[in-house]
């Protein structure tokens, strides 16, 4: 079988294919898995809803990048509009637009999954060779302290001054020039995402990737997938009304990501039990500091420092960890819910602004079941995510922690992103105003760049969608291999966890297709 990449404009008629394996989605899970399967001699067809874009397409213009590379043109959100969901949609998926931060799944999370959710075979020793393999292929290494940008240096210096735990991050890059445009596609081909690594590996081994192909349903007869039905997407209109694509595989792998994977199961009549439930978002809040010296937080590696000082706040509180985002004009303007003169004043100080983010760890406390993915009447996904009291408390504590860190790092003022104007905090003695502010849905902006769960793995079909080998409980030739299989939030950025679990899934999927 000759490998290749087919884009939507090259398809002029309906197409029917057969394959050993059909992989739906080309992101962190699908790409790592597909490369291993193709290299074993299996015929693999991959279907990707997004377009195939390359280095010349990554111009660093936000108005181009978000519609081109993100789900729903960058406007995806929870049903109540309280949390903006930043999720990739192109060949390479989220790995084309993520900020390259890589962590292995923490040992304590693996232990929690084993003890609480019945996941087997995922102790640190069992996972180590899979993480080592992807780290070698993707060039995952610590970012040197001498190359930490000013924005991340605020986090590093402030945490050290306060005596909080803090460290340098691992990044999947080679030859990174620190352009700062990670979230808009790397303009230098330095980011070692799927676009440059596992997808070319898979194509070289014979896989055929069909871009611009939205999968509408998985056809199941009896208890087996017999066909995957897709349709060509017109990029200029983002509508799937072009030629149809039908794949008849021996094994199907769903790797469309949290939100999209459970939604596809629901559209396919496979929505019984826990499908779509326990969807986690690692909900993010941000706080900006104004400094006397230029920060220029749009330059340099977006994330290179993190503090896990508050990731474990005890058995009855939601933990959070601290990182930094890039601060480009459009992203900054949407993060602060103000308009007119207030927005103009904030953006005029953008070169002097450093921003911290606090990422909450959802799904670990009893009763914290995250959100639920369902379908709208037109078949599109709907995500309901209640802001439970524990999360509200964590957001308040995170704002206070970030304010303390900013002032420890030398900020002249701190600016919150509350809808009700609080005015800048001018010193540590004003933090009480921030603590007393309202928190929760729509009181301030909140984001998610880490979508997890919705097709959780576990030890029982009553409580999970797939087993510990990521095989669907009732459809044995269907696997789910992406971040949707994680039963809880991770407490770290998820990309390497998805890479590692996809690498681990190669044996089980290959055996089912062999």
């Amino acid at each position: 079988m000759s490998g290749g990449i087919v884009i939507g404009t090259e398809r002029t008629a309906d197409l029917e294919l057969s394959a050993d394996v059909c992989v739906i989605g080309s992101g962190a899970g699908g790409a790592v898995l597909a490369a291993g399967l193709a290299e074993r001699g299996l015929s693999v067809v991959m279907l990707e809803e997004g377009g195939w874009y390359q280095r010349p397409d990554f111009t660093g213009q936000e108005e181009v990048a978000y519609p081109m590379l993100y789900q729903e043109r960058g406007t995806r959100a929870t049903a109540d509009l309280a949390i903006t969901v930043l999720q990739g949609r192109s060949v390479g998926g989220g790995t084309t637009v993520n900020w390259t931060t890589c962590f292995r799944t923490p040992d304590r999370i693996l232990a929690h999954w084993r003890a609480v959710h019945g996941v087997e075979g995922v102790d640190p020793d069992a996972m180590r060779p899979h993480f080592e393999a992807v780290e070698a292929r993707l060039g995952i290494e610590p970012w040197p302290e001498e190359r930490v940008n000013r924005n991340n240096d605020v986090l590093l210096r402030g945490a050290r001054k306060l005596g909080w735990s803090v460290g340098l991050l691992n990044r999947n890059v080679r030859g990174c020039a620190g352009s700062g445009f990670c979230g808009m596609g790397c303009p230098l081909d330095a980011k070692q995402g799927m676009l440059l690594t596992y997808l070319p590996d898979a194509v070289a081994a014979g896989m055929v990737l069909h871009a611009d192909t939205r999968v509408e349903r998985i056809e199941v007869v009896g208890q087996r997938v017999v066909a995957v039905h897709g349709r060509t997407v017109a990029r200029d209109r983002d509508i799937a009304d072009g030629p149809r694509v039908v794949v008849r595989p021996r094994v199907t792998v769903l790797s469309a990501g949290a939100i999209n994977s459970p939604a596809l199961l629901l559209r396919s009549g496979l929505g019984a039990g826990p499908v779509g439930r326990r969807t986690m978002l690692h909900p993010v809040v941000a706080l900006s500091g104004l400094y006397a010296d230029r920060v220029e937080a749009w330059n340099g590696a977006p994330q290179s420092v993190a503090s896990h000082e508050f990731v474990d706040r005890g058995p009855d509180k939601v933990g959070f960890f601290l990182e930094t985002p890039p601060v480009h004009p459009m992203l900054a303007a949407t993060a602060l819910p103000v308009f007119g003169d207030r927005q103009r004043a904030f953006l005029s100080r953008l070169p002097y602004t450093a921003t911290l983010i606090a990422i909450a760890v959802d799904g670990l406390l009893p009763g914290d079941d995250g959100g639920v993915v369902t379908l709208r009447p037109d078949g599109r996904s709907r995500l309901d995510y209640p802001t439970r009291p524990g999360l509200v408390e964590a957001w308040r504590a995170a704002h206070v922690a970030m304010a303390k860190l900013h002032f420890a790092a030398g900020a002249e003022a701190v600016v919150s992103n509350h809808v009700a104007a609080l005015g800048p905090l001018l010193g540590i003695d004003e933090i009480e105003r921030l603590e007393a502010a309202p928190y929760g849905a729509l009181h301030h902006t909140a984001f998610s760049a880490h979508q997890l769960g919705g097709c959780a793995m576990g030890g029982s079909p009553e409580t999970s969608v797939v087993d510990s080998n990521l095989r669907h409980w009732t459809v044995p030739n269907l696997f789910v291999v992406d971040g949707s299989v994680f039963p809880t939030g991770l407490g770290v950025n998820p990309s390497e966890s998805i890479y590692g679990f996809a690498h681990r899934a190669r044996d089980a999927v290959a055996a089912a297709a062999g």
Side-chain angles (χ1 to χ4, degrees), residues 137-266:
R137 179 66 185 93
L138 301 179
I140 297 175
E141 294 181 349
W143 191 246
E145 185 170 343
E146 62 270 19
R147 296 197 64 189
V148 168
N149 74 356
R150 182 83 164 86
N151 197 38
N152 282 269
D153 187 56
V154 163
L155 175 54
L156 187 64
R157 289 186 295 106
R160 284 175 173 172
K161 187 171 181 179
L162 293 167
W164 296 351
S165 64
V166 67
L168 299 170
L169 295 178
N170 292 329
R171 305 183 64 227
N172 57 305
V173 296
R174 289 189 172 97
C176 177
S179 69
F181 293 113
C182 297
M184 292 172 259
C186 181
L188 302 172
D189 279 354
K191 182 194 297 189
Q192 300 300 290
M194 303 300 95
L195 188 63
L196 297 179
T197 57
Y198 284 108
L199 289 176
D201 293 351
V203 170
M207 182 186 80
V208 178
L209 190 162
H210 290 266
D212 307 302
T213 307
R214 180 176 299 164
V215 175
E216 297 177 326
R217 66 185 178 95
I218 298 169
E219 182 183 355
V220 176
V221 175
Q223 290 185 317
R224 294 190 64 80
V225 174
V226 296
V228 176
H229 296 267
R231 196 153 188 181
T232 305
V233 176
R235 288 189 195 174
D236 57 340
R237 294 174 290 119
D238 199 20
I239 296 174
D241 59 358
R244 299 182 183 278
V245 178
V246 178
V247 183
R248 300 192 182 279
R250 299 175 66 183
V251 171
T252 297
V253 180
L254 180 51
S255 299
I259 302 177
N260 291 340
S261 283
L264 181 53
L265 291 179
L266 290 167

Side-chain angles (χ1 to χ4, degrees), residues 150 154 157-158 161 290-292 404-413:
R150 182 83 164 86
V154 163
R157 289 186 295 106
K161 187 171 181 179
L290 303 180
Y291 289 78
K404 289 179 179 178
L405 194 150
H406 270 304
F407 286 125
E412 294 182 328

Side-chain angles (χ1 to χ4, degrees), residues 443-480:
H443 285 300
H444 47 79
T445 52
F447 296 84
S448 168
H450 304 162
Q451 299 82 39
L452 309 165
C455 297
M457 59 180 165
S460 164
E462 284 72 38
T463 58
S464 58
V465 177
V466 296
D467 65 17
S468 298
N469 289 319
L470 310 189
R471 187 195 296 259
H472 193 277
W473 280 109
T474 59
V475 184
N477 70 333
L478 174 63
F479 290 77
V480 183

Side-chain angles (χ1 to χ4, degrees), residues 5 25-32 46 48-53 58 69 88-98 191-200 209 211 255 499:
I5 298 176
S26 65
V32 174
M46 176 177 282
E48 166 59 50
E49 177 182 0
W52 180 42
Y53 302 104
F58 304 141
L69 299 174
R89 192 200 71 161
S90 68
V91 172
T95 74
T96 300
V97 295
N98 70 17
K191 182 194 297 189
Q192 300 300 290
M194 303 300 95
L195 188 63
L196 297 179
T197 57
Y198 284 108
L199 289 176
L209 190 162
S255 299
Y499 302 145

Side-chain angles (χ1 to χ4, degrees), residues 113 452-458 466 470 480-488 501:
W113 291 350
L452 309 165
C455 297
M457 59 180 165
V466 296
L470 310 189
V480 183
V481 182
D482 58 24
S484 73
V485 303
F486 298 147
T488 69
F501 273 84

Side-chain angles (χ1 to χ4, degrees), residues 420-431:
L422 300 181
L425 278 66
L426 301 179
I428 193 76
D429 57 328
E430 296 189 5
I431 284 183

Side-chain angles (χ1 to χ4, degrees), residues 4-19:
I5 298 176
V6 180
I7 62 175
T9 53
E10 297 174 348
R11 192 179 303 125
T12 58
D14 291 351
L15 184 64
E16 185 160 329
L17 305 165
S18 61

